[in-house]
Amino acid sequence: MCQDCGCSLPRFGMQASQHTHAAKAPHGALSTSSHEDLSTNPQLSDAKTLSVIHKILDKNDVEAAHNRRHFEASRISAFNLMSSPGSGKTTLLEHLSEYTSIPYGVIEGDLETSKDADRLIAKGIDAIQIQTGSACHLDAFMVHGALHRLNQKEGSIAFVENVGNLVCPASYDVGTHRSVVLLSIPEGDDKIAKYPVMFRRADLVLITKCDLAPYFDFSVEDAKAALMALNPHSPVIEISVKDGRGMQEFANWLQADHQARFDAVKTAPLSASSTYSAASTHTAEEC
Amino acid sequence: MHEFSIVQALIESCESHAQSQQASAISRVKIRLGALSGVEPSLLATAFDTFKLEGMCREAVLEMEIEPLMLSCNECGFEGEANGLSVLCPCCHSPFTQVTGGEEMLLLQLELNSCEHGA
């Protein structure tokens, strides 16, 4: 009989040499040990340890990958816009069309109201509103529901305007290709160091409302130094929708990123693009 | 407070693992939270204690392992713990580093109780 657990070896059809306990591990710590049999043993109510290395948000990540395939099937580049409330995400989208010829649609996330989507629709931009109720972020499932309602042309751009929040949205992949994080001059340059996870996730940081710089003690140098420690390769663009500075540079960044994603595929022989097309056919059938 | 939705995902994942093993209850849940995972451990613990009351995790103890930010430097070859949350190499200050740990939220281990009267 095993001195650790009291089980009788022959019942489990094992040799003594097979029935081992890890030298110093607590009993039951062997996930793949012979004790797996105990879970189906009707006589014993014993604890067993199961080792799993599993991402906690795995389901969300799988759905996010599914969303990305949806976008890619129509050669759409998707960008997740994140910032605190009021730093200018919707205003940026209202004005961006003056600087780019690529059509774009927007999935809007807010706790309540469809005010943001209404503002964009008034400008002739296709927008779908998601009301999250009390949820402080969008997740891949919410975006999936909305992307099927978005009326987008092949080769266009989709923006997901996340719930205004510098904390929670950082933990959720919503199925976009790039994350753009906005920081407005009135918020202060210390926000980057205060919200490291969000700024670590950024592929591009936009410093917005730069026309207000003379009235605030925002140091762009300090902001860039803080970003350097967290995310040294992210570009920073200073913009203002009022005087237009940086807007063309932002539009060019979007276009370059979009082209880099799909032009290589477009010029390659058909078979080389099968990763996109095969996936898209598959997902189109799924939903 | 996205910790509540993370806990919901965690509990769902624990339950599906437990069901696949025909376990009747979960007595311990071990997770690893990266320093840059974006989760506040104390809030997560509170959320877990609130949500576990229903379902297979109701007796479960949550064990959290906090993983510091880990880097590997492409320039000087340094491998190890970062200086706080900075991704610059703590030895040569190079920005050309790779994050090797400390950004993820993982479920590591479950302690399961089996059914007393058969699976």
Side-chain angles (χ1 to χ4, degrees):
Chain A
M1 180 184 278
C2 168
Q3 290 182 349
D4 286 314
C5 65
C7 66
S8 97
L9 295 175
R11 274 182 69 168
F12 293 94
M14 287 181 292
Q15 297 301 313
S17 59
Q18 288 178 290
H19 184 105
T20 52
H21 293 279
K24 285 185 180 170
H27 182 234
L30 295 170
S31 60
T32 53
S33 80
S34 45
H35 283 271
E36 294 218 337
D37 295 323
L38 294 181
S39 67
T40 51
N41 183 327
Q43 306 296 321
L44 288 173
S45 174
D46 194 1
K48 79 163 186 169
T49 307
L50 178 71
S51 285
V52 280
I53 296 187
H54 189 89
K55 281 189 177 183
I56 294 176
L57 292 178
D58 184 54
K59 273 189 184 166
N60 179 75
D61 291 351
V62 168
E63 185 73 0
H66 176 84
N67 290 352
R68 251 188 300 278
R69 287 197 300 271
H70 265 299
F71 287 126
E72 286 162 2
S74 308
R75 296 178 188 275
I76 293 172
S77 293
F79 298 89
N80 188 2
L81 291 191
M82 294 179 283
S83 76
S84 354
S87 52
K89 295 181 294 297
T90 313
T91 310
L92 174 71
L93 294 173
E94 279 180 318
H95 290 81
L96 181 65
S97 57
E98 299 159 29
Y99 301 90
T100 181
S101 57
I102 306 174
Y104 58 91
V106 181
I107 296 171
E108 276 286 347
D110 278 303
L111 270 66
E112 291 291 342
T113 82
S114 60
K115 284 176 189 290
D116 282 1
D118 295 344
R119 277 171 62 186
L120 294 168
I121 291 165
K123 288 263 179 182
I125 299 161
D126 185 28
I128 299 291
Q129 182 78 46
I130 301 173
Q131 287 168 0
T132 61
S134 57
C136 48
H137 58 274
L138 292 177
D139 66 25
F141 294 92
M142 300 182 207
V143 170
H144 181 254
L147 73 86
H148 281 290
R149 294 190 284 139
L150 203 61
N151 222 341
Q152 282 213 270
K153 290 194 190 87
E154 173 133 353
S156 64
I157 284 179
F159 288 100
V160 175
E161 187 187 326
N162 221 308
V163 177
N165 179 337
L166 278 178
V167 185
C168 313
S171 297
Y172 287 83
D173 182 359
V174 293
T176 47
H177 297 98
R178 296 270 183 251
S179 295
V180 178
V181 181
L182 285 71
L183 171 64
S184 68
I185 292 286
E187 289 172 69
D189 52 47
D190 56 352
K191 291 298 172 290
I192 293 178
K194 283 185 179 173
Y195 299 92
V197 181
M198 177 60 80
F199 286 94
R200 166 87 193 130
R201 297 280 184 277
D203 296 299
L204 170 70
V205 173
L206 295 177
I207 300 180
T208 62
K209 308 188 188 180
C210 282
D211 53 300
L212 294 177
Y215 312 103
F216 290 90
D217 298 326
F218 187 106
S219 160
V220 173
E221 288 318 303
D222 288 355
K224 284 183 176 171
L227 188 64
M228 181 70 191
L230 287 168
N231 190 353
H233 307 294
S234 164
V236 177
I237 305 178
E238 297 164 48
I239 65 166
S240 162
V241 294
K242 297 289 179 200
D243 61 22
R245 86 183 77 168
M247 290 295 288
Q248 194 58 57
E249 195 184 338
F250 174 49
N252 294 346
W253 181 89
L254 287 172
Q255 184 165 353
D257 185 77
H258 182 50
Q259 285 177 346
R261 181 163 304 108
F262 295 113
D263 280 10
V265 179
K266 203 181 284 179
T267 52
L270 207 60
S271 58
S273 66
S274 58
T275 33
Y276 287 123
S277 52
S280 61
T281 327
H282 181 57
T283 53
E285 282 165 12
E286 277 175 47
C287 51
Chain B
M1 272 298 276
H2 61 308
E3 281 77 7
F4 278 94
S5 35
I6 289 168
V7 159
Q8 277 176 322
L10 171 64
I11 290 178
E12 269 176 37
S13 166
C14 291
E15 290 185 346
S16 81
H17 280 294
Q19 278 157 5
S20 72
Q21 299 289 316
Q22 286 100 41
S24 56
I26 300 166
S27 52
R28 193 171 57 87
V29 173
K30 186 175 178 186
I31 60 174
R32 179 186 292 157
L33 300 176
L36 262 184
S37 66
V39 174
E40 174 53 42
S42 63
L43 287 180
L44 196 79
T46 309
F48 187 80
D49 287 340
T50 309
F51 274 103
K52 74 177 186 181
L53 296 176
E54 300 153 27
M56 294 174 86
C57 285
R58 64 186 164 273
E59 304 291 325
V61 176
L62 180 68
E63 209 174 285
M64 291 187 283
E65 179 184 304
I66 310 297
E67 186 185 33
L69 188 64
M70 303 297 285
L71 301 175
S72 129
C73 178
N74 295 346
E75 292 212 47
C76 76
F78 168 85
E79 297 220 0
E81 201 172 316
N83 182 9
L85 297 180
S86 168
V87 299
L88 303 180
C89 174
C91 284
C92 71
H93 306 290
S94 164
F96 299 101
T97 58
Q98 280 177 315
V99 172
T100 54
E103 288 197 300
E104 291 191 316
M105 289 175 255
L106 298 173
L107 169 60
L108 292 184
Q109 238 179 31
L110 290 174
E111 200 170 271
L112 304 174
N113 288 327
S114 49
C115 297
E116 285 193 38
H117 304 290

